[in-house]
Structure formats: structure tokens, C-alpha cells
Amino acid sequence: MRIPLSWIREYTQFPESGSAEDLMAELVKVGLEEEDVHRPTDSLSGPIVVGEVLEKIPEPQSNGKTINWCQVRVVPEGAAQTLTHEGIDPSGVQGVVCGAHNFEVGDKVVVTLPGAVLPGDFRIAARKTYGHVSAGMIASVRELGIGEDHDGILVLSRLGLDPEPGTDAMELLGLYDSAAEINVTPDRGYAFSIRGIAREYSHATSTPCTDPAAQISTTKDDDAARPGHAVSLNDDAPIYGVQGCTRFVTHTVTGINPAAPTPPWMASRLRLAGMRSINIAVDVSNYVMLELGQPNHCYDAAKLDGGIEVRRAAAGEKLTTLDEKVRTLNPEDLVIADQSGPIGIAGVMGGARTEVDASTSSIVVEAAHFDPISISRSKRRHKLPSEASKRFERGVDPLLPPLAAQRVVDLLVQLAGGTDSREITDAGAPVLPQPIRLESTLPEQLTGVAYTPEQIRYTLEAIGAELGQDGEHLLVTPPSWRPDLTIPAALVEEIARLVGYDQIPSRLPVPPAGRGLTPSQQRRRGVYAGMAAAGFTEVLSYPFYSQAANTRFGQAEDDGKPMPMLRLANPIASQYPALRTTVLPGLLEALRRNVSRGFTDVALFEAGTVFHPKSQLGSASIPDLGAYPGEEVLAGLDAGIPDQPLHIAAALSGAEAAELPGVPGRRRDWADAVDAAQKVADLLRVRLEVVQGRHQAFHPGRTAELRFNGVRVGHAGELHPKVIEELDLPARTSVMELDLSALIDGSPEQISAEPISTFPPTTQDVSLIVAEQLPTGELQASLIEGAGELLESIELFDVYSGEHIEAGHKSLAFALRFRAADRTLTAEEASEARAGAVALAQQRHGAVQR
């Protein structure tokens, strides 16, 4: 919100010497945020004066252009020139070359004299051009920085002005004024007005202010008032049961002059407030909106077809809005319509068909109160942010419509020569805030400040609330302009804000001794740190996926059931309508993006929650705030929350180490993905069972199913070639994903370090030929069982098939390390344990030693 200083001074005691920075410093005290200062004199300086054109001589040029050699008097007739800058003629008449032609001899214009500086650091000096010395410039509004019109010179008579030559044009056009810009939070829509800012300045400085709404005298109850334009409110599909329009006021003004100029003081204030001057009707409408905070709209009365109806749009209805775009309306849109159809999207933008134009003589002024949710949804749906919707979606004072309509009519009568027809319609009734019971001890409980009863009452009355008594406690009725005050805590916030946030003591909380991270948090962080130490880089991605991505990666094809997933009511993008059931799609997108930027050797991991819907989704109602709802209600709420287990996934591509001359880098494959899963299990001190698996997103035969305590907790392996091609990933990309929550829940509560043995190990290798389809994990499990308790570790170090190996078979080589806790093993003992392992492998799998 931009606040012109001259405007705020009308309703407050802000001093004449005060700057925009001074105003913002006061408003910051009551919780508003400073943004910027808008000061025309930062880029514009004089001498800039009013001049009268005495002579205008057209001179055609060789380039086909015609310039005007002008003599312009810049001091009152008969007066001497008091300005002495180089190039200023002491006679008071300046010779000026001008390329524009929209002015005549006798016109009063704005002249920038030598020494002036225009926006863009354009410095005016006497220059020789087109055979003359041009000592100044006759300015357009664009050159002065007060508009976009660059087609011609600013002729002051067209603004209704007839000043004396030599008058300071910057003061005449309001260019010495400045504006402070503040940021308004969503809960304080009343501050989008001079009315609201005046009240806030009054709170900050403890000085009186004048309510501009209180200065308006309406004609509604006069004997001369009569029924106005017919209006009906017919909302047959209210959102959340709230009527889209609760009050709709019209007030007709006749006989206006649509060509009447907007006075410079109004145009200056609108410009400083961030709005451009258009025509008298639009400017008055915008001025009243900025002054009171009540959006309003002007219809050409001659273009209205019958009565006005406020209703929901019919499916497929179309409306050409004021920006000349044809918009297809949604049945949820609240529209204003006449007999011919919609003439505006309520609270967002009017229609072009009833627009006020150069032929308009009678105007129907509308001021209404609309439901914030309806307005906000229509604004987003049609991508039509406007000054009106900005205010309506934050809440507008329901008592303002008749006052705002009257203010527009009064200004049109005053500035455009109109006549108040006293034809007024006031349909509906205002919905006012309900009383709130404020316990006397609550302010101190929430803030830690012992406010006195007098402070509490004074503050609440200062914001406009009406106070009553409910036993020992206050019964507070918020003012009509504060729809955000609905609960006791909001009233406490107002007390804290206006008494002063600096009164609230600051104290660092002391954490209870002996607490810190929970065991689950410690294990989770240990896994992340371990993965990073192993060479993986952690990434984060959005949890929003397409249904296809969830289905492809979220479950194995052998489950035989449809993939349940949670759809979002308002997705961030239409192609991502569901919450993720797997971490892999986002992780693979990060991998693809890195590879596309030249990082071919990549190892990434991501941990995050996934979402699995329960049979119950959501709850029938939300309990009221301010009271403990009870265990049964909480259990019902919890039953509607989806399961959100933590998953961890890794993706690998390229080489494990950079290639060196004569030393080719080892390419990562499915085994690295399995190792990554085993790394997670080792960090949690749990054991994964690796068996042959199947998954539609993985390569057949290169897919491992990962089990924990007999339950599948994930997959690892190489992605399917079709998936790799579709996602534009490097060949042989391998991934793994685990249910980290399940592993953490099953990990030991305490992990004891194993003692370091002082006895040496004995290592023996074994190479076995088995059927090619036999999973390595099954053979390894048999070797572990057969070797007995002396086996300390086992590691697969070679897989071979080809020459000297029977077709359909493969050779698997394992390194077996044996160690006893109480003695040095003999070679015979190690060989005996090895023989037991081989014997069991032969018995179960038909393994043959190579």
C-alpha cells in the first residue's frame, strides 16, 4: 500500500515537515512493514514553471520533419525574471524548439528551464538545434514522469487549470508530494486504505485521527431518496454455505461530463498510490477505493439491460472483461448480470459492455460486500489480480458500501458536473462480527506481560471494539472493519501490538537436561551421514508426482492390486496431481538434470516421506480451537491421516572412479545399488536378505528384492532399458529404495561395539559352479550356514561364465574369513569349516567346486 503524505495529513496529525521515512518509522511500531519511498523529486528538479505560448512558427526541415520555433513567456506579464541560471533569458521570454503540434498560441504549458533535471538524469540546458538556440523544453506528461502519454505537450487548460505564467509547475501538479509504501499482511486488509492507515498512525502516535467515512452524509434516508436500480441476490450455490454477496448498493448520478478533466491533486495522489489516471469516472472510483478501502464500480446506465442480479455463473457462459479478453466462466464464479447476461466478475473485474466511455452521461455506482473465498478463487482461476480483489479477498468493512457509493456520487457531482438522482438501492444486510469472550488472564498467559485492566480496555476501544461484561471477563465485539478478529488470541495480539512488542520480555528457553535427539532421529542422521561418507550426494525433490510415476515405481507388478495414492485438491501443477508413494521419480529427475549438465559420474541419495492412504481419509469436522478436544476426537483425526513412512533411495550412473591413463574406471552396475542398500542396513546394524526379485521398472534378471525379517522392504538393481530411454537417463543406471522407517523400527535399541580380537584370521577361498538362475544370495546363505560359528565374514569377489564353464551355469568365487574368539585357528580347523560350507552348498544347490 502506497500512502501519499498529503492525503494522510488530511485525516491525521502527521506533521508538514514529516517525511515518508518518518511515517514508516511510526507504522513499524504497530506491526506494519516498510517497503519503499516514492518521491518524484528524487529524479525531477526545477526550475519547471508554467509558460504561456506567445508565438509558434512552423519550420519544415530537410528530413521531412516540421518543428515549431516558439516564444514562451515564463514570468507574469510585466514582471522581471528572477531566475539567473545560464540560458534563462532575463526578459522572461524563452525561445524554445518543439517538435509537438498539439498546442496553440495562448495555451498555458509546462516549461522546463535550463538547469532543470528530468527523470533519467536528462539535464536541460540551452542548446543549438535546427538553427536556433533552444533555451528549455515544453514538456509532455511522460517527460515529466507523471504518465505514459508521449503524443503531445501537456496543455494545462485541458486539466481545467489557468495558472499565471511563472507559477511553479511542480507544486501545481503535486510533484513535491511523496509516498511511503508499506507491506500489508493478509489478515489486515483494512490497511489497504488511507482510512485504515490513518487509524494505525493514530495508534502508533497516540494522536487523534479523523475517519473519512464519518465525513460522508448519505442521502439514503432523505425524504427525496427513491428506489434505484432493481437488484436481486440469488446465490444458489454458496461456497461452504456462505453467500457470495451479502450486500449490494447502487446509487445513480446523472448529467455528468465524461470529458471533465481529473484535477491535478487527485491525479497526483493516484499516481503516487501506484495507479494511473484514466478518466474522471474511473479516477473517482479508484480514489474512493484507496481512501475508504471499499472497491466500487461504475456502469454506464444507458448500457444496462433491465435489473441487476448477483448470481453464480452458468457453465460455459462467457464475458468480455475490461481488458478486452473473452473469459469462459466457471459455475463457481460469482457474477453480476443484467437481462442480457454477465456484466462483470464480482469483486474482480467489470465487463466491457457496460464500460463508461466518452458518451456516458448517467452512471450507476455499485458498492458491494462479497465473500472473500469466492473472490479469491475467481481471481486465481482467471489469473486476474486487481486492486479490488486484493481488498475483497482480505475482507472489507460491510458497513462501507452505502458510504462509498455516496462518496463516488459526491465527487462526480463536484468534479464532473453531475446531479445526484437520489435513486438508491441497498439489497441485503451487513453481516457483522460476533462478540468474543476474553478471559481477563489470557493476555498475560500468552505474552508474559501483566497488562492492567485499563490498558486492555483502552487498547480494545482504540481499535474500535465495543466492550461488555461477562462476569469477570470482557465481552468484546470487534469493529466491522476487522473480520480477522474471531478468537480471543487475536484480541491478545492486538493488545500486544498496540501497547508495544518491546514490552514483551525476551528469554531464551532452557532445554530439559538429558534430552536431545530421539533414538529414531539419531539413527536417521547416522544413515544420512554414512551415505554421504560413502560418496553419495544428498538431494531433495518435490513430493508431487504424476499418477503414472507413482504406479511405475511405487509397487512391484506381482502385487496384482491397483496403486492407492492421495490426489491433491489443488495441485501445484496439473501434471503432478498426487502425493508420492516412492522417492525414485524425483531422485531420477535430479540424476537426469545433473547428467545433462555434464556430470556423468553421479551417485545420489534422497530420504523423504511417502504417502499411503488409509481406508479413512480426513475427518468429518475439525474441532474448535481453544479447548482440548479429547482422546476420542484426536484418535478420529489421526485415523484420517495417511501413513507416512520414511523411504531412502539411491541412484548411480557412470564410473566409480575417474579413468586414468592405462587404468579404465570401473562402471557402476546393479551390484553397487545392492551394496548401497546393504550400507544402509549396516549403519542400522540390521541384516537384509537379498533374493531375486521382479519389478516393472527394473531390468529382468538384474533385480534384487530386499527383505527384512521376511518382509519385503525394497528393491535394488538396474533400471529397465525402456525406462532409461523414456527418462533420458544414462545406460545401465542402477537404483535402490528401502523403507527406512521399517529398518529403524527393527534396529537394536543399543549397539554394542564388538571386541577387537587379538587372534589372527584365516582366509580361504572357494569357487563353485552353479546353475545360472540361482540367486547369489541363496548360495551365500547356504555357505554361511554350513561354515558354522567360526565364519567371521564372507565376500563375493568374482562371477564368471564362458569358456570352460558348462552352458547355463556360472562360477561364483567367495572369500571366507574364519576366526576363533579364544585361540588361533589351525589350517585344519579352517579347512573343515570351509568343507562344511561347500558340502551344504552341494546338497542344496548341486554346487560343484571349480
Side-chain angles (χ1 to χ4, degrees):
M1 173 69 184
R2 296 184 183 183
I3 311 151
L5 300 190
S6 64
W7 207 348
I8 199 66
R9 286 190 182 105
E10 283 190 17
Y11 303 111
T12 68
Q13 294 185 359
F14 184 67
E16 289 292 333
S17 60
S19 66
E21 290 84 354
D22 296 332
L23 178 61
M24 291 192 297
E26 296 295 345
L27 295 177
V28 164
K29 295 178 182 178
V30 288
L32 296 171
E33 300 174 7
E34 59 182 11
E35 285 287 329
D36 202 357
V37 172
H38 302 271
R39 186 181 291 116
T41 53
D42 287 343
S43 59
L44 182 72
S45 62
I48 302 174
V49 299
V50 173
E52 181 180 0
V53 180
L54 302 178
E55 191 177 48
K56 174 186 175 186
I57 303 173
E59 295 183 356
Q61 304 297 311
S62 58
N63 60 5
K65 182 178 180 179
T66 297
I67 62 97
N68 295 303
W69 172 239
C70 304
Q71 298 297 314
V72 186
R73 183 158 50 86
V74 294
V75 296
E77 187 173 1
Q81 176 61 271
T82 59
L83 299 173
T84 59
H85 194 279
E86 182 181 354
I88 297 179
D89 197 306
S91 69
V93 177
Q94 299 290 121
V96 178
V97 171
C98 184
H101 305 282
N102 69 317
F103 64 100
E104 302 298 336
V105 173
D107 281 342
K108 304 286 182 66
V109 294
V110 176
V111 182
T112 59
L113 296 174
V117 179
L118 299 184
D121 198 29
F122 183 75
R123 298 178 180 274
I124 305 299
R127 296 182 176 89
K128 187 171 183 180
T129 179
Y130 294 106
H132 301 280
V133 175
S134 181
M137 185 177 74
I138 304 175
S140 69
V141 294
R142 186 174 182 184
E143 288 161 342
L144 293 171
I146 61 176
E148 294 300 318
D149 184 9
H150 196 53
D151 295 335
I153 295 305
L154 172 58
V155 179
L156 295 174
S157 62
R158 294 169 191 162
L159 299 180
L161 300 175
D162 186 21
E164 188 176 42
T167 300
D168 187 343
M170 291 182 64
E171 183 175 357
L172 182 70
L173 298 174
L175 296 176
Y176 289 124
D177 199 0
S178 58
E181 183 175 359
I182 60 167
N183 181 41
V184 177
T185 54
D187 61 329
R188 298 172 71 180
Y190 66 92
F192 273 115
S193 66
I194 297 299
R195 182 193 190 208
I197 295 300
R199 191 179 293 111
E200 290 300 303
Y201 180 79
S202 173
H203 297 330
T205 59
S206 299
T207 57
C209 69
T210 301
D211 185 352
Q215 309 304 304
I216 303 169
S217 298
T218 63
T219 58
K220 176 184 175 184
D221 298 323
D222 289 358
D223 293 337
R226 55 184 183 273
H229 211 84
V231 173
S232 60
L233 309 180
N234 299 315
D235 184 1
D236 56 1
I239 298 175
Y240 299 136
V242 178
Q243 290 293 311
C245 178
T246 55
R247 195 175 192 186
F248 196 97
V249 173
T250 67
H251 197 148
T252 303
V253 58
T254 60
I256 71 160
N257 174 15
T262 299
W265 60 267
M266 179 178 285
S268 172
R269 288 180 176 180
L270 289 173
R271 181 177 64 254
L272 282 171
M275 306 184 80
R276 62 188 181 94
S277 177
I278 298 174
N279 59 49
I280 186 63
V282 174
D283 291 352
V284 165
S285 174
N286 288 334
Y287 187 85
V288 173
M289 176 182 67
L290 292 171
E291 184 175 66
L292 300 179
Q294 170 67 56
N296 58 87
H297 189 72
C298 292
Y299 301 97
D300 187 330
K303 297 177 182 178
L304 289 173
D305 182 6
I308 290 175
E309 181 183 18
V310 184
R311 58 173 173 80
R312 298 290 171 178
E317 270 191 308
K318 296 185 182 298
L319 170 67
T320 302
T321 46
L322 289 172
D323 56 3
E324 298 300 330
K325 293 184 178 179
V326 179
R327 303 183 185 274
T328 301
L329 302 176
N330 185 284
E332 200 178 69
D333 288 328
L334 189 70
V335 297
I336 300 168
D338 62 8
Q339 297 299 314
S340 62
I343 58 174
I345 303 174
V348 179
M349 185 174 286
R353 183 170 60 80
T354 55
E355 180 181 9
V356 173
D357 57 28
S359 65
T360 300
S361 61
S362 295
I363 288 177
V364 174
V365 179
E366 165 237 306
H369 188 269
F370 298 116
D371 171 41
I373 293 177
S374 287
I375 304 308
S376 181
R377 290 188 178 183
S378 291
K379 181 202 75 171
R380 291 197 302 269
R381 184 180 300 113
H382 296 286
K383 297 179 176 63
L384 259 181
S386 65
E387 291 294 328
S389 64
K390 181 193 301 183
R391 288 160 174 80
F392 277 128
E393 68 183 353
R394 288 167 170 80
V396 175
D397 186 346
L399 297 181
L400 276 179
L403 300 174
Q406 182 69 57
R407 176 68 165 151
V408 173
V409 169
D410 290 346
L411 287 172
L412 289 175
V413 169
Q414 175 187 344
L415 303 177
T419 300
D420 184 351
S421 71
R422 299 181 179 268
E423 295 177 358
I424 302 172
T425 300
D426 191 346
V431 178
L432 299 176
Q434 296 300 304
I436 303 170
R437 183 176 179 272
L438 178 64
E439 295 184 10
S440 57
T441 58
L442 185 63
E444 183 175 356
Q445 290 175 6
L446 295 183
T447 65
V449 180
Y451 299 110
T452 65
E454 291 75 19
Q455 281 181 307
I456 294 174
R457 297 186 69 92
Y458 174 80
T459 303
L460 294 176
E461 288 174 345
I463 66 172
E466 295 180 2
L467 304 185
Q469 205 68 31
D470 181 12
E472 297 181 357
H473 308 300
L474 285 177
L475 199 62
V476 183
T477 303
S480 57
W481 56 85
R482 294 299 301 270
D484 57 303
L485 301 180
T486 57
I487 58 175
L491 299 175
V492 174
E493 183 180 1
E494 290 298 294
I495 296 168
R497 180 174 71 91
L498 297 186
V499 173
Y501 291 129
D502 57 332
Q503 302 298 312
I504 300 176
S506 58
R507 183 182 63 186
L508 292 176
V510 179
R515 298 187 184 180
L517 298 178
T518 65
S520 176
Q521 291 171 329
Q522 291 175 344
R523 293 166 197 169
R524 189 165 67 238
R525 293 192 181 188
V527 169
Y528 300 164
M531 292 294 285
F536 290 83
T537 300
E538 185 176 10
V539 299
L540 295 173
S541 63
Y542 286 114
F544 312 117
Y545 291 171
S546 67
Q547 290 179 281
N550 269 339
T551 301
R552 171 185 288 166
F553 290 99
Q555 67 177 9
E557 60 185 359
D558 58 1
D559 283 356
K561 295 180 292 186
M563 164 61 70
M565 63 187 77
L566 285 167
R567 290 183 59 86
L568 297 166
N570 296 297
I572 193 171
S574 58
Q575 63 268 36
Y576 305 122
L579 287 170
R580 66 185 177 192
T581 60
T582 167
V583 181
L584 282 176
L587 179 63
L588 292 175
E589 173 59 24
L591 175 67
R592 185 202 63 77
R593 192 162 52 247
N594 277 273
V595 171
S596 69
R597 286 158 173 75
F599 299 98
T600 55
D601 304 326
V602 185
L604 306 177
F605 85 95
E606 178 177 5
T609 54
V610 299
F611 304 86
H612 299 306
K614 301 177 183 176
S615 57
Q616 176 184 330
L617 190 59
S619 59
S621 62
I622 301 296
D624 294 333
L625 300 177
Y628 183 69
E631 295 296 334
E632 185 176 348
V633 174
L634 291 177
L637 293 173
D638 185 65
I641 299 174
D643 287 328
Q644 301 174 53
L646 183 67
H647 278 208
I648 187 169
L652 310 100
S653 71
E656 183 178 26
E659 296 185 4
L660 299 173
V663 182
R666 189 187 74 81
R667 310 300 294 179
R668 293 188 176 99
D669 58 17
W670 62 268
D672 294 283
V674 176
D675 285 345
Q678 292 285 15
K679 176 69 175 176
V680 173
D682 291 344
L683 290 167
L684 293 172
R685 301 299 191 270
V686 297
R687 181 174 176 180
L688 285 179
E689 181 184 358
V690 181
V691 300
Q692 184 70 41
R694 295 183 60 190
H695 194 289
Q696 66 274 9
F698 286 73
H699 191 296
R702 299 175 189 168
T703 304
E705 181 178 299
L706 308 172
R707 296 177 180 174
F708 176 57
N709 291 335
V711 178
R712 184 177 66 201
V713 292
H715 288 86
E718 182 181 317
L719 288 177
H720 197 289
K722 289 184 177 179
V723 174
I724 289 176
E725 180 181 3
E726 182 179 338
L727 299 182
D728 195 23
L729 297 172
R732 309 298 294 273
T733 295
S734 298
V735 301
M736 76 84 180
E737 181 170 14
L738 285 168
D739 184 342
L740 187 58
S741 291
L743 299 184
I744 290 175
D745 291 344
S747 61
E749 292 185 4
Q750 293 184 344
I751 299 174
S752 300
E754 296 180 0
I756 299 176
S757 176
T758 58
F759 299 102
T762 298
T763 301
Q764 295 195 14
D765 297 341
V766 60
S767 181
L768 301 174
I769 298 174
V770 295
E772 193 169 23
Q773 67 270 22
L774 177 68
T776 302
E778 292 187 21
L779 179 61
Q780 182 172 308
S782 296
L783 291 173
I784 292 172
E785 183 180 344
E789 61 182 11
L790 293 179
L791 181 66
E792 184 178 73
S793 67
I794 180 171
E795 182 179 353
L796 175 71
F797 66 86
D798 183 58
V799 179
Y800 174 75
S801 61
E803 189 177 358
H804 305 304
I805 300 296
E806 183 183 351
H809 290 70
K810 60 184 176 182
S811 171
L812 303 176
F814 295 88
L816 309 178
R817 185 167 69 180
F818 301 95
R819 192 197 309 257
D822 56 350
R823 67 187 186 281
T824 298
L825 289 178
T826 63
E828 290 77 10
E829 288 177 307
S831 297
E832 183 179 351
R834 173 183 178 279
V838 171
L840 189 58
Q842 290 174 336
Q843 176 186 339
R844 289 183 176 176
H845 311 295
V848 177
Q849 287 199 71
R850 184 180 172 194

